[in-house]
Amino acid sequence: MGLDLSNTNEIGRRETRGGAGRWGLLNSRRLSRRAPQNPSSAAAIAAAMDPSQPSGSSADASASSSSSSSSAVENLAAGMAAMSLQDRFELLRGIGEECIQEDELMNLLQKKPVPICYDGFEPSGRMHIAQGIVKTINVNKMVRAGCKVKIWIADWFAQLNNKMGGDIKKIQTVGRYMIEIWRAAGMNLDGVEFLWSSEEINKRANEYWPLVMDIARKNNVKRIMRCCQIMGRNDSDELTAAQIFYPCMQCADIFFLKADICQLGMDQRKVNMLAREYCDDIKRRNKPIILSHHMLPGFKEGQEKMSKSDPSSAIFMEDDEVNLKIKQAFCPPNIVDGNPCLEYIKYIVFPWFETFEVVRKEENGGNKTFANMNELIADYESGALHPADVKPALAKAINQILQPIRDHFKNNSEAKVLLNTVKNYKVKKEETSSSPQAS
């Protein structure tokens, strides 16, 4: 299927951009180990499924976070008031390559002042630009549209999926490194709450596990196996029992976090659809809305998705080899569909800068600043814009975006140690497949 590169949605990126220097290193959070309670399963499931109930089951936890969350909600409300309902809808809709369903999204925005958006990531190694910058752009759009974003740090899920050899301490170190990158990149944290899965599940085990078990009971193994793509696995792969259980847990996360909107990559679509099917099973009217964003390809021909398993085809967030990687990238002249360089311009450069600047000699057409993707595509298809023009301009733009992150990990001693620790982790080949909840 050909890719539509013509409809670039803008974001007020400059409003939320922050230099690395103004962010401190996120402190390590210790796991909460509480003895599980044992209410009836039906009551626990009802509590987790009821969107009117607070996210935490503990009054103490609610009180401790009320002061910080109230100011964030006020900021969200102020931003929302400045936008029309249609503007908010279009901003959110622009995130998704697919939206299930548009009428439900509009209805949600009409009825709920601050919708909850669920995003997440599995700490699984160094972060590439699709995960780092695209997530920053999308989260900032959601916050700007008046949403509260809950980002699920899926450390237990990474352990289930045998990332970092199942070493939970290494996984959590990678999680802190990834959060630190988003801070340095300028993610607007006013409306964002990072939640560690291990910690939150332990706090509310009485709600979580009955919900997981109910989802498992209402689905057969064949249906769950079809969701294994979310772990970067095929249904033909030999899976552990833990990996088969994984989709039931990720489905439960949506209800556990009381999410109105699931904002993940297209590769997570199947488990999000499982959540909507579960709503049918339990006769729940309000289903989670699915906003599935486009998956950026690797730089080599035929690579549908950027992967950490091929470092030469992926740009990492603190990468200093951007120029070489883009110089070697697949970029056929006159051809738009399947051209990774043009996709990076559409999904990263235009949302970030709102323009794309090409510098070239007068005999080659002179300098030109493109105001939108349609204009760029027209020149590229006609041959007026050549790959030799595109590549250095793309490399320059990407380097500008990444420079604050590089500076932060170079100049902040704690951040430097964190990065070097993650770089030194030996990752097995089978661990480098696409990360669930992380695209």
Side-chain angles (χ1 to χ4, degrees), residues 58-93:
S58 165
D60 292 340
S62 298
S64 66
S65 62
S66 60
S67 59
S68 59
S69 62
S70 61
S71 60
V73 170
E74 288 173 5
N75 291 338
L76 291 177
M80 183 180 63
M83 300 180 70
S84 70
L85 177 66
Q86 187 64 31
D87 287 341
R88 294 174 65 210
F89 171 82
E90 291 178 0
L91 188 59
L92 288 172
R93 179 62 186 90

Side-chain angles (χ1 to χ4, degrees), residues 82-333:
M83 300 180 70
S84 70
L85 177 66
Q86 187 64 31
D87 287 341
R88 294 174 65 210
F89 171 82
E90 291 178 0
L91 188 59
L92 288 172
R93 179 62 186 90
I95 293 172
E97 183 171 88
E98 178 185 60
C99 175
I100 304 173
Q101 300 280 351
E102 290 186 356
D103 58 334
E104 294 176 16
L105 177 60
M106 179 63 81
N107 185 57
L108 172 68
L109 294 177
Q110 287 175 326
K111 293 184 175 179
K112 189 165 184 177
V114 182
I116 295 175
C117 293
Y118 152 71
D119 197 345
F121 68 97
E122 185 188 271
S124 59
R126 293 174 67 193
M127 183 188 290
H128 56 56
I129 194 171
Q131 190 179 21
I133 296 302
V134 173
K135 190 182 292 291
T136 297
I137 290 170
N138 288 342
V139 166
N140 287 350
K141 283 186 177 182
M142 290 187 281
V143 173
R144 188 180 169 209
C147 299
K148 176 179 180 179
V149 182
K150 293 185 178 182
I151 298 184
W152 193 236
I153 312 170
D155 52 352
W156 265 4
F157 292 77
Q159 188 176 39
L160 282 172
N161 207 11
N162 203 35
K163 297 299 173 71
M164 298 294 146
D167 187 325
I168 194 67
K169 290 183 179 178
K170 289 183 178 180
I171 289 167
Q172 289 170 351
T173 298
V174 173
R176 295 195 301 275
Y177 147 83
M178 297 175 93
I179 295 171
E180 188 69 9
I181 283 183
W182 285 316
R183 285 174 172 270
M187 181 179 283
N188 184 354
L189 301 182
D190 287 346
V192 175
E193 184 179 12
F194 288 103
L195 299 167
W196 295 81
S197 67
S198 56
E199 185 174 326
E200 297 303 314
I201 291 169
N202 273 329
K203 284 180 184 176
R204 297 159 54 201
N206 57 307
E207 294 177 39
Y208 188 79
W209 293 115
L211 180 58
V212 172
M213 289 188 288
D214 197 54
I215 291 168
R217 285 194 315 108
K218 287 181 168 60
N219 289 278
N220 58 38
V221 173
K222 185 177 180 180
R223 176 66 184 91
I224 297 302
M225 290 285 286
R226 291 206 304 271
C227 293
C228 289
Q229 175 189 359
I230 66 172
M231 296 178 285
R233 314 290 178 180
N234 298 316
D235 52 14
S236 60
D237 290 348
E238 184 175 345
L239 303 176
T240 66
Q243 288 167 326
I244 294 173
F245 202 52
Y246 189 119
C248 298
M249 292 175 63
Q250 186 170 331
C251 180
D253 294 342
I254 296 165
F255 304 107
F256 184 68
L257 297 174
K258 297 177 172 42
D260 302 299
I261 300 171
C262 300
Q263 204 298 287
L264 298 166
M266 284 294 293
D267 60 339
Q268 304 297 298
R269 183 184 187 277
K270 290 183 179 180
V271 77
N272 290 334
M273 290 302 296
L274 182 69
R276 287 179 65 89
E277 293 169 11
Y278 180 65
C279 289
D280 291 332
D281 292 335
I282 63 172
K283 306 296 188 286
R284 169 175 161 153
R285 285 187 59 191
N286 294 328
K287 299 179 180 180
I289 296 159
I290 305 171
L291 278 178
S292 302
H293 66 252
H294 177 72
M295 307 299 296
L296 281 178
F299 278 123
K300 295 183 178 178
E301 183 176 3
Q303 289 183 322
E304 295 183 358
K305 182 179 176 182
M306 180 177 287
S307 174
K308 300 173 187 177
S309 60
D310 187 355
S312 65
S313 71
I315 292 175
F316 296 99
M317 288 296 290
E318 71 293 326
D319 215 329
D320 56 6
E321 299 179 1
V322 171
N323 294 351
L324 177 61
K325 290 180 179 181
I326 293 179
K327 183 178 181 180
Q328 296 174 343
F330 178 67
C331 189

